[in-house]
Amino acid sequence: MVRQFTGVADVAGVSEQSEQPERIAFANQAELILSLVGYAVGVGNVWRFPYLTYTYGGGAFLIPYALSLLLLGVPLFVLELGMGQLTRRGTLGMWTKIGLPRWQGVGLAATVCTFLVGLYYITILAWTIYYLGRTFAAIPSGKLPWSDEAEGATCPMMDLYLHQSAVDSPFLIDSSTGLLNSTYAASVWCKAVGAPPADYVMKTIQPTRCPAQMAKIFWESALQQSPGLDQPGGLNPGILISMTIAWLLIWLIVFNGVKSSGKVVYVTATLPYACLAIFLVRALTLPNALTGLSFLFAADFSHLSDPQVWIHAAVQIFFSLGVGYGSIVAFGSFGKKSANFVRDASAVAITNCGTSMIAGCVVFPVLGFLAQELHETDPCIAGDSLDSLKSIGLSGTGLAFVAFPIAVSQMPGGFFFAILFFVMMLILGIDSQFAYIETVATVLSDAGWGERLPRWALSGLICLVSYLIGLIFVCRGGIYFLELFDNYVSIYVMFAVACLECVGLLWTRRGKTWEQFKALCVDSTGMELGRIWEISWGYVCPGLSAVLVVLSITPPFGKLDVMGARESKHFPEGTGYFPEWTIALGWVIASLPMAAMLAVAIRPSILKTTSREGSTIFDDIPK
């Protein structure tokens, strides 16, 4: 419980200005809220949450998801925003300000993890920019570039297994489309494995309509995908140009810190909702939309007995809200010190999860429509089920760059909806990406490593270094490096960071840190952090986070070979080859944040602090 007091000072002892006159800040609280919304609401809301809901019991998945939000998401969001706001420091410097310099390693671990995520996350923006550019370039032709009607598009041959009674029928193929006549759909053998029965004969046809195949071909040509990570190949020119544009956009947003990014979020945090609203209306009016919605919300409560469902729900909350990465702390440090951080954090966390629900109501009607459309071109794709779309992709890159492009190519006004979708994806990605850069810049400034550089130069240096390292993601094998980083970087670090944040605040110095933090909160904001927060941050959050750490790295839920490298096959026979040494490399990457944390814990003097020697935020609390 939080009780609001009146008649207390807005700030503790001396004013914020006298404590740190040089620290930049948001112009108003609205900029902070919008920045937090933009950071928390990202591409994962669109391409991960709906798929998890579909996979793990539909409406039943919402039960562990809601409990994870209540027990982990909201409390941790409140904790990180509050610590940033009251200490006026990022995730590194806040520990010195509460008198725990050896705990700065926790913040450094979060920062290293954030930096590594930022290296590959921007690749999604590069792909999006590439698709946008190709879409605009195709407007004069009137055909989307991944359409089967685009200039030069030729559908690949299709092999069908037909019953011998139908294979020689003169009416088997529709002469106008080159597709199987729908009246013969029941004569097709569609099982994916095993040999066909003896009375079925293979027949090869040349279709003139193939939206799914052409969208996949376009995606593969955009990536210029190599057979595996053992063959990285050269740089991909189209994606390289798009990556360069993406980094320039990010630098232009963050070059002056929150003074510039705080203005940008008025557009970037709100425009995606306008795009979602337009898509929602269109999606719900598509043919077969209810079929898609039924797969999203039909509850199968038997899934609740599967521990994986609960683990995935908790993991999605961490990923979606972005707790444990330090960005929330960084943004909070630029906000108003007297603000009600409990109210603000709770509102943002709930808004984020509500956005995921809206995104689900957009994605699955579109997939229902897609299933019906593709059933007309391939009798083995069922129009009343989404299972057969798994070969295209119901989450991640498959959803964003294959399934959705197919769907919009079949809609009236395809160019409008294609541009709308990729603009939405671009803005969602930009908000999260500049938050990562802002977090790293804040930590470097607070640590004293970047204090001699103006903010535009520090931000530019971070962007440049990230760009150069990130070139590995725009080579022909770049998607394999991206999968390597995506699977290992955050495998357990954010859980460990969240756990240690709670322990550091509640259990150090025999509870004195917590008592002083509560007193500072009352003095600065007029709020008293009641018993419920002590229980949540002292027991529930660290306990559940520690369990997630253990489950992430130990069998049967965690596994050493996260990506299945040992079973991987070269593309296009398989999805791409990962040499066995990538298992060791992946765990080295996963261990970098924790190694940094241990180094600081052993020798905190390696970090230069900008705070006064012996000065903490508690020194100014009226005795």
Side-chain angles (χ1 to χ4, degrees):
M1 299 264 319
V2 175
R3 295 196 294 275
Q4 186 74 38
F5 287 78
T6 58
V8 296
D10 285 338
V11 294
V14 295
S15 66
E16 295 172 30
Q17 288 77 14
S18 62
E19 176 185 292
Q20 192 185 4
E22 76 282 359
R23 193 170 188 83
I24 58 177
F26 288 108
N28 52 62
Q29 199 67 5
E31 290 185 1
L32 169 62
I33 300 300
L34 290 173
S35 295
L36 289 169
V37 170
Y39 163 67
V41 178
V43 294
N45 297 75
V46 176
W47 77 13
R48 180 172 169 83
F49 170 80
Y51 175 70
L52 289 176
T53 306
Y54 165 70
T55 303
Y56 294 108
F61 179 77
L62 300 180
I63 295 175
Y65 183 76
L67 287 174
S68 298
L69 173 65
L70 179 64
L71 297 177
L72 285 170
V74 171
L76 290 172
F77 208 105
V78 171
L79 174 70
E80 293 194 348
L81 186 63
M83 292 184 76
Q85 177 178 307
L86 296 181
T87 62
R88 319 301 295 156
R89 292 292 189 275
T91 187
L92 189 73
M94 72 178 184
W95 295 106
T96 299
K97 298 303 289 183
I98 63 174
L100 300 170
R102 289 188 182 274
W103 286 71
Q104 291 180 98
V106 178
L108 186 59
T111 305
V112 171
C113 185
T114 298
F115 176 73
L116 293 174
V117 171
L119 290 178
Y120 72 84
Y121 187 89
I122 200 167
T123 310
I124 300 170
L125 275 68
W127 293 339
T128 304
I129 291 170
Y130 178 84
Y131 266 69
L132 267 175
R134 292 292 302 270
T135 302
F136 280 115
I139 289 177
S141 71
K143 304 296 181 183
L144 287 165
W146 55 83
S147 168
D148 55 10
E149 298 178 351
E151 184 178 354
T154 302
C155 291
M157 305 294 283
M158 178 185 292
D159 293 330
L160 295 175
Y161 285 93
L162 297 162
H163 193 271
Q164 58 187 12
S165 63
V167 72
D168 294 323
S169 171
F171 306 105
L172 182 66
I173 304 299
D174 187 327
S175 59
S176 62
T177 63
L179 297 172
L180 184 76
N181 192 317
S182 59
T183 58
Y184 290 91
S187 300
V188 180
W189 181 80
C190 291
K191 290 185 179 180
V193 295
D199 53 349
Y200 279 79
V201 179
M202 187 181 76
K203 185 177 181 65
T204 301
I205 64 173
Q206 174 65 67
T208 57
R209 287 197 60 205
C210 52
Q213 289 87 343
M214 290 310 301
K216 291 182 72 174
I217 290 172
F218 183 84
W219 168 239
E220 291 165 3
S221 67
L223 292 182
Q224 299 180 13
Q225 187 172 349
S226 72
L229 195 140
D230 58 332
Q231 302 177 46
L235 294 175
N236 182 333
I239 305 300
L240 176 63
I241 293 171
S242 301
M243 174 79 86
T244 305
I245 295 172
W247 273 117
L248 286 173
L249 284 173
I250 296 300
W251 180 75
L252 289 173
I253 292 172
V254 302
F255 79 98
N256 202 22
V258 296
K259 286 185 178 180
S260 54
S261 65
K263 303 299 182 289
V264 174
V265 292
Y266 283 107
V267 175
T268 59
T270 56
L271 187 57
Y273 286 96
C275 296
L276 276 175
I278 296 171
F279 258 115
L280 181 62
V281 173
R282 184 68 188 102
L284 294 177
T285 56
L286 287 171
N288 214 38
L290 291 179
T291 297
L293 278 179
S294 67
F295 276 89
L296 179 62
F297 289 113
D300 182 357
F301 293 103
S302 65
H303 282 267
L304 297 181
S305 61
D306 182 1
Q308 286 283 5
V309 175
W310 297 83
I311 295 171
H312 280 290
V315 170
Q316 176 61 16
I317 286 294
F318 268 85
F319 279 128
S320 183
L321 293 179
V323 292
Y325 290 94
S327 298
I328 299 169
V329 178
F331 280 134
S333 72
F334 299 122
K336 187 179 179 182
K337 192 172 182 179
S338 59
N340 188 329
F341 60 84
V342 174
R343 176 200 61 204
D344 295 343
S346 300
V348 172
I350 293 171
T351 298
N352 171 72
C353 294
T355 304
S356 295
M357 293 298 301
I358 296 173
C361 293
V362 170
V363 168
F364 276 87
V366 171
L367 292 179
F369 164 75
L370 179 60
Q372 178 176 289
E373 289 294 299
L374 294 186
H375 177 67
E376 297 179 5
T377 62
D378 187 344
C380 291
I381 294 179
D384 57 355
S385 173
L386 303 186
D387 289 340
S388 52
L389 296 183
K390 290 181 179 178
S391 61
I392 297 171
L394 296 178
S395 70
T397 55
L399 175 66
F401 298 104
V402 180
F404 244 84
I406 297 170
V408 298
S409 71
Q410 305 302 303
M411 295 180 189
F415 274 96
F416 171 77
F417 287 106
I419 292 170
L420 186 71
F421 176 72
F422 288 116
V423 165
M424 180 182 71
M425 290 290 292
L426 178 64
I427 293 174
L428 288 173
I430 282 176
D431 275 339
S432 297
Q433 184 68 31
F434 82 66
Y436 299 144
I437 303 304
E438 196 66 63
T439 300
V440 176
T442 300
V443 165
L444 292 178
S445 296
D446 289 348
W449 292 333
E451 61 184 357
R452 295 184 179 181
L453 293 175
R455 191 54 179 247
W456 66 267
L458 178 60
S459 299
L461 181 61
I462 296 170
C463 290
L464 178 61
V465 171
S466 300
Y467 171 76
L468 294 176
I469 298 174
L471 291 178
I472 62 173
F473 303 111
V474 295
C475 64
R476 293 181 58 236
I479 192 169
Y480 306 122
F481 285 105
L482 186 144
E483 290 179 10
L484 178 70
F485 274 66
D486 189 43
N487 277 280
Y488 283 99
V489 165
S490 301
I491 193 169
Y492 68 92
V493 173
M494 70 278 195
F495 307 136
V497 168
C499 177
L500 292 172
E501 284 175 345
C502 294
V503 172
L505 183 61
L506 271 292
W507 295 104
T508 54
R509 299 163 61 221
R510 298 182 179 180
K512 187 178 179 181
T513 304
W514 169 238
E515 294 300 325
Q516 290 180 323
F517 188 84
K518 287 197 298 181
L520 178 65
C521 184
V522 171
D523 194 64
S524 299
T525 69
M527 293 186 304
E528 181 178 318
L529 297 172
R531 179 68 175 167
I532 190 172
W533 294 110
E534 185 173 345
I535 294 172
S536 178
W537 295 334
Y539 301 94
V540 179
C541 289
L544 292 177
S545 298
V547 169
L548 288 171
V549 170
V550 173
L551 292 178
S552 298
I553 60 177
T554 57
F557 305 108
K559 54 183 180 179
L560 183 66
D561 185 5
V562 177
M563 299 181 299
R566 294 188 178 99
E567 294 78 34
S568 64
K569 296 181 179 180
H570 285 94
F571 176 82
E573 178 187 357
T575 57
Y577 176 68
F578 289 90
E580 191 163 344
W581 53 260
T582 59
I583 301 173
L585 177 59
W587 282 104
V588 168
I589 294 171
S591 301
L592 288 176
M594 302 309 290
M597 182 188 71
L598 292 175
V600 174
I602 295 170
R603 190 179 178 184
S605 60
I606 63 175
L607 297 177
K608 179 181 178 182
T609 177
T610 56
S611 62
R612 301 188 307 272
E613 183 66 28
S615 174
T616 72
I617 55 173
F618 306 134
D619 295 339
D620 297 320
I621 301 175
K623 302 296 190 289

